[in-house]
Amino acid sequence: LSQSRSGSVREVEIDIDDNDMVKCLKTLLRRSQEELANVTGRLNETESQLSETEVKLETVTRIQNTTREELEAVRGELNSTEEKLDVVSSDLNKTEAAMESVIGQLNSTQEELNTTREELGAVIGKLNSTEEKLDVVSSDLNKTEATMESVIGQLNSTQEELNTTREEEQ
């Protein structure tokens, strides 16, 4: 048998003896066995790589499933956190409103305090003026008291003189 360059097979008659034929067949058998061993080796290597790939694929699938489960858990936590955040945000808004009310009350109280300070300043001014007037009155009272003591002393002296005069007349 012979094969042309075009790929067609044609029969060729060759006259060879049996020994040559056996040698030729043995060579063909040996080459075929080598080729078969080579193909079998590649097939075994491919099967080994396929097994490794299957193991890796199983691992990747497990990791992917675990990741999906973890992702779902994280989504659940995220939803829960968002709900809690909504509650906290609402509480914060209420707190801010309450704080604004307290600030308004503080401002009003500050204004009242300022007014009270002004009124207290006026009262202190009046007290100082009254104290000065009281000092003047106290001084006048002390002078009056001294004058009264002098008058009482004179009255007592006059009374004694009057009593003495009455006794003499009697």
Side-chain angles (χ1 to χ4, degrees), residues 4 16 23 29 33 38 44 46-47 54 56 67 71-72 82-83 85 102 106 108 120 143 149-150 153 163:
S4 69
I16 55 173
K23 283 182 186 178
L29 178 62
Q33 287 173 341
N38 185 18
N44 288 339
T46 302
E47 286 177 348
E54 287 174 347
K56 289 177 183 176
T67 303
L71 181 60
E72 287 303 315
E82 285 177 348
E83 291 171 4
L85 183 60
V102 168
L106 283 174
S108 174
L120 184 59
K143 290 177 187 174
E149 286 177 6
S150 173
N163 287 340

Side-chain angles (χ1 to χ4, degrees), residues 3-111:
Q3 189 172 4
S4 69
R5 289 186 187 184
S6 65
S8 63
V9 176
R10 57 189 167 132
E11 275 187 40
V12 176
E13 252 185 66
I14 300 175
D15 187 24
I16 55 173
D17 66 359
D18 288 343
N19 280 338
D20 287 341
M21 179 65 90
V22 169
K23 283 182 186 178
C24 190
L25 289 173
K26 283 183 179 178
T27 302
L28 282 174
L29 178 62
R30 186 178 39 82
R31 286 183 184 165
S32 295
Q33 287 173 341
E34 288 173 359
E35 187 67 29
L36 179 62
N38 185 18
V39 168
T40 302
R42 290 193 324 217
L43 180 62
N44 288 339
E45 185 179 320
T46 302
E47 286 177 348
S48 173
Q49 290 174 351
L50 181 60
S51 292
E52 290 176 9
T53 302
E54 287 174 347
V55 168
K56 289 177 183 176
L57 180 60
E58 289 173 5
T59 302
V60 167
T61 302
R62 278 195 310 273
I63 291 171
Q64 185 179 18
N65 290 338
T66 302
T67 303
R68 282 184 183 144
E69 292 171 3
E70 290 173 354
L71 181 60
E72 287 303 315
V74 167
R75 282 184 181 147
E77 290 177 15
L78 180 61
N79 289 338
S80 174
T81 301
E82 285 177 348
E83 291 171 4
K84 290 176 183 175
L85 183 60
D86 288 343
V87 170
V88 168
S89 179
S90 174
D91 290 348
L92 181 61
N93 289 339
K94 290 175 186 174
T95 302
E96 286 176 346
M99 193 167 79
E100 287 176 12
S101 173
V102 168
I103 288 172
Q105 291 173 352
L106 283 174
N107 288 339
S108 174
T109 302
Q110 183 66 42
E111 290 173 9

Side-chain angles (χ1 to χ4, degrees), residues 114-160:
N114 290 340
T115 301
T116 303
R117 283 182 180 155
E118 291 171 4
E119 291 172 354
L120 184 59
V123 168
I124 288 173
K126 288 180 183 177
L127 277 175
N128 289 338
S129 173
T130 302
E131 188 176 351
E132 290 171 4
K133 291 176 183 175
L134 188 57
D135 287 345
V136 170
V137 168
S138 179
S139 174
D140 290 349
L141 187 59
N142 287 338
K143 290 177 187 174
T144 303
E145 189 178 336
T147 303
M148 281 180 67
E149 286 177 6
S150 173
V151 167
I152 289 172
Q154 289 174 359
L155 279 173
N156 286 338
S157 176
T158 304
Q159 181 70 34
E160 285 177 13

